[in-house]
Amino acid sequence: PSLLESVNMADMDTETSTQAVVGEEEPLFSNLDLFLFSLIVGLVIYWFMSRKKPEPIPEFKKIDTPETSFIEKMKKTGKNIIVFYGSQTGTAEEFANRLSKDAQRYGMKGMAADPEEYDMGELSRLSEIKNSLAIFCMATYGEGDPTDNAQDFYDWLQENDDDMSGLNYTVFALGNKTYEHYNAMGKYVDKRLEDLGAKRIFDLGLGDDDGNLEEDFVSWREQFWPAVCEHFGVEASGDELSIRQYELKEHTDINMNKVYTGEIGRLKSFEVQKPPFDSKNPFLAPVTVNRKLNKAGDRHLMHLELDITGSKIRYESGDHVAVFPTNDSVLVNKLGQILGVDLDKVISLNNLDEESNKKHPFPCPTTYRTALTHYLDITHPPRTNVLYELAQYASDPKDQENMRKMASSSPEGKALYQSWVLDASRNILAILEDMPSLRPPVDHLCELLPRLQARYYSIASSSKVHPNSIHICAVVVEYKTKTGRTNKGVATNWLKNKLVTDNGHKSTVPMYIRKSQFRLPFKATNPVIMIGPGTGIAPFVGFIQERGWLKQQGKEVGETVMYFGCRHKNEDYIYQEELEEAEKNAVLPQLHVAFSRDQDQKVYVQHLLKKNKENIWKLIHNDNAHIYVCGDARNMAKDVQSAFHDIAEELGGMTRTQATDYVKKLMTKGRYSQDVWS
């Protein structure tokens, strides 16, 4: 009994013993005394016994934790080259895998590694391994930021001053010229390692995704390996054969409960959902609204609402929602048909390198259908290494020759890849259809295709107003290619078909939140200038909701200014009702809309900015306004920035250089934020 129970029992005993002794001689010890005495003795014995007992040694089951020391792993497996990747959409990881495979062709042994999984403090120890080299394939994300998996490595580089004098390294950077901070992460790693005393054995490679990232990589790689061979005094083995990384295992009688059906991380995670939800464990959010936003025109702009009730997911206005789409079943079935494959066969692809942290290229065991639907990218034009590896399966020597040529760095080969694959937007299915002699084994194709990636959208709601709901605004991608085929955007077409109820079932979207730096000012009294044409309006729908909510709370809210743009007022003026309502309620005192095609000469948001230059300059220069730009990076964001340069030059009495510096300073102070894509 608990102590409280014991005391209550003692009380009862007192009562009964009192009744019992009426008219009798009182015994030497009352029942209560005996009880309390027994209790004390009992407690003493208990304390004595429990004190003497040796602590049982807990049995530890050996948990299979991955090795965090890459040095030990390299020593154990005889590897001398390690390729670290900072990857957000999978491309840098793909390049890292290609480089680690290349090493074998040059008589060396390489491994690709995720910096998040290893202790990067060991870099200075790499010199313990003979002829060692660290290669860094580093992508830049957002506004010059590291990718999620390289954030800790970036922080470590900034904080540490370890002596790296024994480290041989090289960097290939992946970026996009349309962005302000082109290849910032790759440039930083390259410079920082040099500052710490490491030896750069080949020049920094700069890949530009706005041009031809694949070509940039292939050209850099062609010069890189001869430089490595020269540095270490080794000769290329000339072994140009295809090297398989995984072996196929077909499962004939397997319990289907052990088979992955599209889960990203844990098996059955879509059936039994457990928070926290992230990129490895997405939440299945039911779709509660899916409506077309535009009134007319040939495009389909849509607004979706995802229900996150009970998920413990938190978000802020300006964050991104990541969704995991699936490929069109029509494409998957055609691939199965053309390769003569039973798509429902259960398989595993197992890494031939047993020491590798990456046991499979995608969750296994699974079926070919699931792999091609959920896990593999079958819609992007394949990279040159895929063509090179598949060439051996073409029965027509001419096809073989062309595929190998496209993967070479010869000007003729590059031009052929550019025109036949990229300009023609040929995906793997189109290549197989247009090359009837090419029929690779499906397992090798599955090994080579890149992973299907999550897609990011700017959230179009405020959590203050919609704590249990996340809104998405997107335009469906669909276009005709030069070969006459219709290509459809994977995620937007998948979202378009997410009806609220599908045959009585709720449609769900696997999702998680990615935090962003795109935030409303800390002080609500700061004015905000928002510029977001087209679907670039998304985060500002959330911002306007939030400013309205702050006003309702009785807070003093600064001037809220919106510059929106679309083609025609009566076609694609999306969120018109919401914007005009906010204007009427003085939540949005200034609403400026550019209808680019409603008159002879085109009018865009940057023209309206210049038209209202006095007001803009006063808000920025005197009232400490924050500027936000969202949408197309290639043209709009640049033109808008240039409009601000013009305004600063004209009204601030500055030279062009001073005006440019003025805007740059606003950016570093966090008063000019961009959420742009190309």
Side-chain angles (χ1 to χ4, degrees):
S2 71
L3 194 58
L4 189 64
E5 283 170 354
S6 308
V7 173
N8 286 341
M9 284 158 73
D11 285 348
M12 280 160 53
D13 276 358
T14 319
E15 245 176 80
T16 45
S17 60
T18 316
Q19 286 165 359
V21 294
V22 177
E24 276 182 38
E25 211 177 295
E26 259 185 55
L28 194 59
F29 293 111
S30 74
N31 286 3
L32 176 62
D33 294 340
L34 283 169
F35 175 77
L36 289 173
F37 178 71
S38 315
L39 186 68
I40 291 159
V41 171
L43 284 170
V44 169
I45 294 168
Y46 174 75
W47 174 79
F48 190 75
M49 294 293 287
S50 62
R51 192 182 62 113
K52 294 298 281 180
K53 232 182 252 170
E55 291 239 332
I57 297 161
E59 273 184 52
F60 286 112
K61 286 202 175 81
K62 191 176 177 298
I63 297 169
D64 193 19
T65 49
E67 176 91 67
T68 60
S69 165
F70 62 84
I71 298 289
E72 295 314 316
K73 183 169 268 196
M74 288 172 79
K75 285 178 177 175
K76 201 155 87 183
T77 55
K79 298 201 163 73
N80 64 322
I81 290 181
I82 184 158
V83 195
F84 291 105
Y85 56 84
S87 189
Q88 195 70 31
T89 61
T91 312
E93 181 179 357
E94 211 182 308
F95 285 0
N97 281 324
R98 284 161 72 174
L99 289 168
S100 74
K101 244 182 178 181
D102 280 346
Q104 215 168 320
R105 301 199 167 110
Y106 294 91
M108 296 177 252
K109 283 184 86 178
M111 65 180 264
D114 181 343
E116 206 171 26
E117 293 178 2
Y118 292 101
D119 173 8
M120 297 305 282
E122 289 195 327
L123 275 175
S124 55
R125 286 183 53 204
L126 200 58
S127 53
E128 293 172 15
I129 295 169
K130 189 173 177 280
N131 283 359
S132 61
L133 166 67
I135 307 171
F136 296 87
C137 289
M138 305 308 287
T140 299
Y141 187 74
E143 297 301 297
D145 305 315
T147 56
D148 292 351
N149 77 314
Q151 183 67 54
D152 292 345
F153 173 48
Y154 175 71
D155 295 342
W156 179 82
L157 276 176
Q158 287 190 305
E159 291 155 16
N160 274 278
D161 288 318
D162 295 14
D163 177 15
M164 297 281 175
S165 50
L167 175 69
N168 295 313
Y169 80 96
T170 189
V171 179
F172 183 81
L174 296 84
N176 187 313
K177 266 210 175 91
T178 57
Y179 290 84
E180 183 77 20
H181 307 276
Y182 175 54
N183 269 324
M185 184 61 185
K187 288 173 182 171
Y188 174 76
V189 171
D190 182 61
K191 174 86 173 66
R192 183 68 182 137
L193 289 174
E194 182 185 45
D195 292 347
L196 294 173
K199 183 173 184 187
R200 182 192 296 110
I201 68 158
F202 190 67
D203 294 339
L204 165 70
L206 296 173
D208 176 20
D209 201 25
D210 187 44
N212 183 338
L213 185 59
E214 178 68 17
E215 187 178 310
D216 295 338
F217 176 66
V218 169
S219 306
W220 177 83
R221 178 174 154 243
E222 290 282 326
Q223 296 171 302
F224 164 68
W225 283 114
V228 173
C229 292
E230 193 180 328
H231 183 270
F232 292 130
V234 294
E235 273 186 46
S237 60
D239 180 15
E240 285 292 321
L241 292 171
S242 160
I243 300 163
R244 288 293 298 260
Q245 214 176 332
Y246 298 92
E247 64 178 348
L248 171 69
K249 179 172 170 43
E250 295 182 349
H251 303 278
T252 42
D253 55 343
I254 186 169
N255 177 351
M256 290 311 277
N257 281 328
K258 302 252 190 317
V259 177
Y260 282 88
T261 56
E263 303 94 327
I264 305 301
R266 182 173 52 85
L267 186 67
K268 299 281 173 241
S269 59
F270 285 170
E271 286 174 30
V272 183
Q273 294 248 282
K274 292 178 190 159
F277 297 105
D278 55 27
S279 60
K280 307 267 192 311
N281 179 36
F283 175 67
L284 287 184
V287 177
T288 54
V289 174
N290 181 351
R291 62 183 168 93
K292 188 177 178 181
L293 286 168
N294 48 321
K295 301 176 191 77
D298 50 7
R299 295 182 306 158
H300 183 101
L301 293 118
M302 55 192 174
H303 170 91
L304 281 95
E305 298 185 9
L306 309 179
D307 184 2
I308 54 166
T309 307
S311 67
K312 296 194 167 77
I313 289 174
R314 300 271 174 275
Y315 75 95
E316 296 285 329
S317 308
D319 282 343
H320 297 141
V321 57
V323 303
F324 287 96
T326 57
N327 289 312
D328 186 344
S329 58
V330 174
L331 291 183
V332 174
N333 288 332
K334 277 188 181 170
L335 270 173
Q337 242 171 336
I338 210 163
L339 294 173
V341 177
D342 171 9
L343 290 173
D344 297 309
K345 185 175 280 179
V346 180
I347 56 117
S348 288
L349 286 177
N350 301 324
N351 202 324
L352 291 161
D353 174 2
E354 287 172 10
E355 293 297 328
S356 173
N357 277 10
K358 194 175 180 184
K359 302 299 177 203
H360 316 281
F362 43 78
C364 290
T366 190
T367 63
Y368 284 125
R369 185 183 306 282
T370 300
L372 293 168
T373 305
H374 291 266
Y375 299 138
L376 297 170
D377 182 341
I378 60 175
T379 57
H380 272 108
R383 299 198 182 277
T384 57
N385 65 307
V386 177
L387 302 179
Y388 182 86
E389 299 256 348
L390 294 181
Q392 58 182 313
Y393 301 115
S395 54
D396 181 340
K398 190 89 190 96
D399 286 347
Q400 267 200 37
E401 186 196 331
N402 277 334
M403 288 177 79
R404 292 207 170 101
K405 192 190 285 174
M406 284 192 276
S408 76
S409 58
S410 72
E412 193 190 349
K414 284 179 179 174
L416 184 61
Y417 177 70
Q418 181 68 47
S419 63
W420 199 77
V421 179
L422 297 182
D423 295 345
S425 305
R426 274 188 174 88
N427 57 30
I428 190 65
L429 177 62
I431 286 171
L432 293 170
E433 286 174 340
D434 296 345
M435 261 191 192
S437 96
L438 177 66
R439 292 297 176 262
V442 68
D443 63 292
H444 199 175
L445 183 65
C446 287
E447 172 177 323
L448 293 169
L449 288 174
R451 281 292 293 267
L452 183 59
Q453 298 294 326
R455 306 299 205 262
Y456 299 100
Y457 295 96
S458 305
I459 297 176
S461 53
S462 160
S463 57
K464 301 282 188 287
V465 182
H466 299 283
N468 291 318
S469 174
I470 283 172
H471 301 183
I472 295 175
C473 161
V475 58
V476 175
V477 176
E478 192 171 308
Y479 59 94
K480 270 261 187 293
T481 72
K482 287 182 177 173
T483 64
R485 293 176 170 92
T486 298
N487 275 9
K488 294 178 171 188
V490 176
T492 54
N493 281 279
W494 169 78
L495 282 171
K496 179 187 172 185
N497 294 318
K498 286 280 173 190
L499 307 172
V500 176
T501 49
D502 204 359
N503 291 333
H505 297 288
K506 273 189 175 168
S507 286
T508 56
V509 167
M511 53 72 71
Y512 68 95
I513 298 297
R514 188 177 193 280
K515 295 283 169 212
S516 111
Q517 303 296 314
F518 203 71
R519 288 276 183 270
L520 276 169
F522 183 68
K523 281 162 76 179
T525 49
N526 283 108
V528 299
I529 302 167
M530 305 171 286
I531 302 136
T535 55
I537 193 175
F540 304 134
V541 175
F543 278 15
I544 292 165
Q545 286 176 4
E546 189 138 331
R547 301 279 273 193
W549 179 84
L550 287 165
K551 244 185 147 72
Q552 275 176 350
Q553 304 298 303
K555 298 260 187 348
E556 192 191 331
V557 177
E559 187 94 350
T560 306
V561 182
M562 178 79 219
Y563 282 84
F564 174 66
C566 60
R567 294 176 183 179
H568 301 283
K569 182 171 185 175
N570 46 19
E571 257 184 32
D572 54 352
Y573 184 0
I574 59 177
Y575 297 108
Q576 181 178 355
E577 294 76 17
E578 290 89 331
L579 291 172
E580 289 175 354
E581 179 75 8
E583 188 182 27
K584 198 174 84 195
N585 297 339
V587 169
L588 188 61
Q590 288 192 46
L591 171 61
H592 306 279
V593 187
F595 303 107
S596 61
R597 303 182 187 183
D598 274 351
Q599 59 286 310
D600 292 341
Q601 74 292 357
K602 290 196 173 165
V603 176
Y604 294 118
V605 281
Q606 61 269 24
H607 300 130
L608 297 189
L609 286 169
K610 286 196 208 167
K611 197 173 146 192
N612 301 319
K613 58 191 174 191
E614 283 83 7
N615 176 252
I616 291 278
W617 183 245
K618 176 191 161 297
L619 288 171
I620 298 169
H621 200 62
N622 303 341
D623 303 345
N624 213 19
H626 285 231
I627 302 162
Y628 301 90
V629 183
C630 181
D632 161 56
R634 188 172 285 115
N635 302 310
M636 184 277 297
K638 283 183 175 165
D639 294 341
V640 163
Q641 205 169 315
S642 161
F644 280 115
H645 292 157
D646 293 345
I647 293 168
E649 199 176 338
E650 190 186 332
L651 297 174
M654 304 179 189
T655 65
R656 192 62 177 185
T657 316
Q658 286 171 329
T660 310
D661 286 347
Y662 182 84
V663 172
K664 269 223 169 82
K665 210 164 258 157
L666 290 177
M667 288 178 172
T668 46
K669 283 186 188 157
R671 280 183 53 205
Y672 190 125
S673 309
Q674 302 190 87
D675 179 2
V676 292
W677 53 83
S678 69

